[in-house]
Amino acid sequence: MPGLQAMTTDGTPGGRLAGKAAFITGAASGIGRESALLFAAQGARVAAVDVDFDGSQQVVDEITGAGGEAIAMSADVAIETDVATAIAATEEAFGRLDVLFNNAGIMHPGDGDAEATEEAVWDLTMSINLKGVWFGCRHGIPALRRSGGGSVINTASFVALVGAATPQLAYTASKGGVLAMTRELAVIHAREGIRVNALCPGPLRTELLMSFLDTEEKRQRRLVHVPMGRFGEAGEIAQAALWLASDESSYVTGTDFSVDGGLTAAYVTPE
Ligand code: NAD
């Protein structure tokens, strides 16, 4: 974990998320895991939510071992009762909700182009990546409202902004949906003090992408398109999420916040 909980100069718990309670899905791995650790280190109380309960518990153990406060919960974001129960348990444990990070997502190995992608793969991808974000908002936004406002961060992707010749049609469509839904929610809730932003990571060196790009050749093919010439790290996305979660981004809503090594800015990349 990135250090002990931040302290203010008088020794009381501080940090950029001091006093806030955060709900993070997909917290057992990758972006969610790094964000849970970072948010906690910055003073947030964290609900670490994942289908992988053992993974979330491990993150929580790291947080509490370093003096932070966190709870682990098992929930499938595609099942509405799971999400509703987890949000209610978070409010019960922390007395409030300030940050809703809808981050869980999958990239199915059977996801391909329009002809190859099977309906079951399409439906599963949509139910987790898109409907899961809706369920998070459906139950999380009322909780934010009860706390007087807050920040929603929905993990989309660079594929919501640009197309790829290596197709994952269901994944791409789901992330486009997350981005469009985010914009509309931002407008709807702007005057309630609820900010809603989409995070658009570039290709990352996490389990999700590395198991899809499963040969060195495929990885190098992808890196050609990244001006920085490397995959991003989950911790680099967590830093962006931290800013969106904190009051430092108080005038930011409805954005597609790209953290992608320059990918979406590039026409031709350096040799
Ligand atoms: P990851 O595979 O490391 O972590 C995803 C986590 O989500 C896992 O812990 C998994 O158990 C959990 N999860 C999966 N289905 C779930 C469900 N139905 N309910 C609850 N939890 C579930 O992946 P990551 O790279 O950290 O991805 C996090 C988010 O970032 C995803 O939405 C992904 O689409 C997005 N993203 C990733 C990349 C990348 O290159 N890795 C790029 C852009 C966007």
Side-chain angles (χ1 to χ4, degrees):
M1 112 160 256
L4 289 172
Q5 208 169 345
M7 294 283 168
T8 54
T9 45
D10 65 2
T12 53
R16 292 160 68 188
L17 299 181
K20 294 191 191 295
F23 180 93
I24 303 175
T25 66
S29 174
I31 297 171
R33 177 187 152 77
E34 293 303 318
S35 299
L37 295 172
L38 182 61
F39 286 17
Q42 288 297 331
R45 287 163 290 167
V46 172
V49 182
D50 206 291
V51 275
D52 171 7
F53 178 74
D54 291 347
S56 318
Q57 188 58 54
Q58 226 173 61
V59 177
V60 165
D61 289 346
E62 280 186 51
I63 292 171
T64 52
E69 208 180 317
I71 51 170
M73 273 179 290
S74 172
D76 181 340
V77 297
I79 298 176
E80 184 167 15
T81 50
D82 275 19
V83 177
T85 304
I87 296 268
T90 304
E91 269 190 299
E92 169 126 9
F94 301 143
R96 57 186 300 112
L97 184 68
D98 306 279
V99 178
L100 171 67
F101 190 4
N102 294 306
N103 168 73
I106 60 157
M107 197 179 260
H108 197 286
D111 198 357
D113 62 18
E115 293 147 80
T117 306
E118 288 180 9
E119 190 176 352
V121 170
W122 176 276
D123 288 345
L124 179 66
T125 303
M126 288 295 171
S127 71
I128 296 172
N129 291 10
L130 184 55
K131 197 163 72 172
V133 172
W134 170 47
F135 284 156
C137 292
R138 185 171 217 194
H139 296 279
I141 286 175
L144 295 176
R145 189 183 291 123
R146 286 190 282 274
S147 299
S151 172
V152 182
I153 306 160
N154 296 328
T155 305
S157 168
F158 68 98
V159 300
L161 301 165
V162 292
T166 45
Q168 303 160 272
L169 208 66
Y171 182 84
T172 298
S174 73
K175 294 302 186 179
V178 168
L179 182 53
M181 181 166 61
T182 298
R183 286 196 197 101
E184 187 141 304
L185 287 169
V187 176
I188 293 170
H189 298 288
R191 297 198 182 184
E192 298 181 280
I194 296 172
R195 301 183 294 108
V196 191
N197 289 289
L199 196 46
C200 295
L204 306 179
R205 208 167 50 84
T206 66
E207 183 55 33
L208 181 125
L209 186 65
M210 292 305 106
S211 52
F212 180 73
L213 303 177
D214 56 0
T215 65
E216 192 49 31
E217 193 189 347
K218 286 185 195 167
R219 291 173 190 177
Q220 290 306 324
R221 169 85 173 86
R222 182 62 60 96
L223 284 178
V224 167
H225 302 282
V226 184
M228 285 191 182
R230 67 170 175 87
F231 291 106
E233 301 294 334
E236 293 177 300
I237 307 304
Q239 291 289 347
L242 169 63
W243 184 71
L244 289 173
S246 78
D247 295 336
E248 293 158 26
S249 56
S250 54
Y251 199 50
V252 179
T253 198
T255 57
D256 47 18
F257 191 168
S258 291
V259 185
D260 65 2
L263 188 153
T264 50
Y267 172 48
V268 177
T269 56
E271 290 291 316

